[in-house]
Amino acid sequence: MLPGIGVFGTGSVVKVFIPFLREKGFKIEAIWGRTIAEASDAALELGIPFHTSRIDDVLLRRDVDLIFIMCSPSLHAQIAVKALGIGKHVVCDKPAGLSQSEALKMVKAAQYYPSLISIVNHSLRFLPAFTKMKKELEEGYLSGPISVVDIRVQMGSLLKDGYDWLCDETMGGGILSVVGSHVIDLISYLTHQKAIRVHAVVRTFTTTTKHIKGIRHITAPDFCSFQMELSGGTMVTATLSNHLPGQLCQEVLICGPGGHLVVKGGDLYGCKGHQEEVLYLDEVNAQDTSSVADFIPRPYIKGLQKIIDALREAFQPVEDKRGWINEPVSRAATFDDGLYVQAVIDALKISSKKREWTRVIVMTEEPDPNPLLSAAVRATAISI
């Protein structure tokens, strides 16, 4: 039996994936909004029976067993940790919180409740072109180790008419967090390597718009170019920009001694020697995406569809009682993956400010909030 779903968020992505959920047989029981007016409008538009602006009103509902967190990143960790603690499955949008400290809390909660699904919405993992690319890499298409990864993403502005979290870097807005998190996760997923050190240029060129001006200014970056040195020796270059209105232009190129693989949009091409071949063509359009293509790129929509397919399979009855509910979503990014992505984002921001190569350090313990007091306690313990 499919679980009832509680949704946190009322933005564009929510209005896209709820029809997908219903098509697969899921029932949307409740929706949360930042204000009661936002929640009421979304519930009316989407036909959801219960709405609220109180987090616990959704989490404590008995008919809700699966939580979709699609709101401001500032609330991701709080909702995810509480949901897992009361036995709810969680799908969290990217990034996993605003900092490594928040992401680490999510990781520890997921480790404490391993029987519950806890995944991050890095939907590019599920895009068929990247699934095929990963398979070709693992089967030795490049005839050797990966030497270079080059990624270019050009798209329109992420900003809306009004001021919200997408305008503020400290609240998780900007192309580095919103799109770069997908790119960073995809690199580790395809290469099985982690970043050792990074070098970045992160900039905010658009600080005001005709709708956002006056006292408030936009701090979220709309351009990012970075390099990454991976644990296996692979070098990565990536350029992400919000300065191309219209459709997404995304290209992921992976090179090795025997050739290269490249995903352009949703299509995969390969080359050995001098002859390029088509390995996968994206001929199936995502259902009813014409109205949302302006603000959510098609590849991300298609990947999200695949995640929902995997979730449905995860909750189907299993004849073998030893069946593991998480297996159908085993390709999805975990909270551990979300913590790693946050560590890379932190390093990229530091590198851009210091204008130097910066090591990637993944947090394993939360920092001491009062190191001076702790030092005094340790000194007292030693003296005793």
Side-chain angles (χ1 to χ4, degrees):
M1 182 176 178
L2 296 178
I5 291 177
V7 177
F8 285 86
T10 58
S12 302
V13 67
V14 170
K15 296 171 183 178
V16 170
F17 77 77
I18 281 181
F20 295 162
L21 287 168
R22 286 187 169 135
E23 180 191 355
K24 297 302 177 181
F26 288 99
K27 187 175 181 181
I28 318 302
E29 302 288 358
I31 189 167
W32 171 95
R34 185 176 56 88
T35 66
I36 195 66
E38 288 182 4
S40 176
D41 290 345
L44 182 62
E45 179 180 350
L46 297 168
I48 299 172
F50 178 81
H51 67 272
T52 181
S53 60
R54 292 167 52 89
I55 291 174
D56 287 354
D57 287 351
V58 175
L59 294 180
L60 296 177
R61 286 182 65 91
R62 292 185 177 181
D63 55 1
V64 170
D65 291 304
L66 173 59
I67 300 296
F68 270 75
I69 307 173
M70 299 290 171
C71 53
S72 166
S74 60
L75 294 173
H76 287 186
Q78 174 188 344
I79 297 171
V81 170
K82 185 176 284 190
L84 290 170
I86 58 177
K88 312 288 186 177
H89 304 282
V90 175
V91 178
C92 183
D93 203 13
K94 79 300 163 198
L98 289 177
S99 65
Q100 283 199 69
S101 179
E102 290 188 356
L104 185 59
K105 291 176 182 177
M106 296 169 64
V107 169
K108 290 185 175 181
Q111 291 173 343
Y112 198 75
Y113 303 99
S115 63
L116 296 173
I117 289 175
S118 53
I119 61 176
V120 182
N121 174 32
H122 285 305
S123 55
L124 289 182
R125 288 184 175 217
F126 285 79
L127 194 68
F130 289 120
T131 301
K132 177 67 173 175
M133 174 182 263
K134 182 178 176 65
K135 184 173 183 292
E136 294 292 345
L137 288 169
E138 292 173 345
E139 293 179 352
Y141 188 92
L142 301 183
S143 304
I146 299 170
S147 53
V148 173
V149 177
D150 184 80
I151 298 177
R152 300 180 186 278
V153 181
Q154 301 281 349
M155 61 190 299
S157 175
L158 298 171
L159 304 177
K160 302 175 184 177
D161 291 345
Y163 190 94
D164 62 7
W165 67 269
L166 286 166
C167 303
D168 191 333
E169 181 182 20
T170 63
M171 294 179 66
I175 196 167
L176 176 56
S177 293
V178 177
V179 178
S181 58
H182 280 298
V183 170
I184 294 164
D185 176 75
L186 182 66
I187 292 167
S188 65
Y189 176 68
L190 293 173
T191 66
H192 299 287
Q193 300 179 53
K194 303 292 187 182
I196 297 174
R197 59 178 190 148
V198 299
H199 189 279
V201 176
V202 183
R203 293 286 184 271
T204 304
F205 288 101
T206 302
T207 57
T208 61
T209 69
K210 65 180 182 179
H211 299 289
I212 305 168
K213 53 188 176 180
I215 297 175
R216 283 178 163 170
H217 284 74
I218 299 162
T219 60
D222 49 29
F223 173 84
C224 179
S225 180
F226 62 86
Q227 297 171 289
M228 299 169 58
E229 181 181 345
L230 304 187
S231 53
T234 300
M235 292 301 299
V236 177
T237 61
T239 301
L240 319 175
S241 173
N242 284 134
H243 297 272
L244 183 66
Q247 293 292 328
L248 169 82
C249 292
Q250 178 172 278
E251 183 173 305
V252 178
L253 171 68
I254 298 182
C255 302
H260 70 259
L261 292 164
V262 58
V263 171
K264 300 177 182 179
D267 304 328
L268 173 65
Y269 303 87
C271 182
K272 293 181 178 180
H274 300 286
Q275 184 63 41
E276 186 173 75
E277 57 181 331
V278 177
L279 299 178
Y280 176 82
L281 285 179
D282 183 15
E283 297 177 347
V284 181
N285 292 324
Q287 177 183 351
D288 192 25
T289 59
S290 57
S291 62
V292 300
D294 289 342
F295 51 81
I296 304 177
R298 195 176 302 274
Y300 299 88
I301 299 172
K302 290 178 68 68
L304 183 56
Q305 272 189 293
K306 298 296 182 181
I307 290 179
I308 292 171
D309 286 339
L311 283 169
R312 186 180 188 281
E313 183 181 348
F315 288 103
Q316 294 303 307
V318 180
E319 293 183 6
D320 182 356
K321 298 303 181 182
R322 295 170 299 174
W324 184 41
I325 188 173
N326 289 277
E327 186 174 354
V329 292
S330 59
R331 277 192 295 146
T334 64
F335 285 179
D336 287 279
D337 295 318
L339 175 61
Y340 161 73
V341 169
Q342 193 63 55
V344 176
I345 290 176
D346 289 349
L348 290 170
K349 290 179 179 179
I350 293 171
S351 172
S352 181
K353 290 178 181 178
K354 292 187 174 181
R355 301 184 181 183
E356 63 184 22
W357 282 90
T358 302
R359 294 194 67 82
V360 176
I361 301 174
V362 180
M363 185 184 294
T364 56
E365 294 293 336
E366 292 187 56
D368 194 327
N370 196 334
L372 293 179
L373 178 61
S374 298
V377 172
R378 288 194 298 270
T380 302
I382 292 172
S383 64
I384 293 173

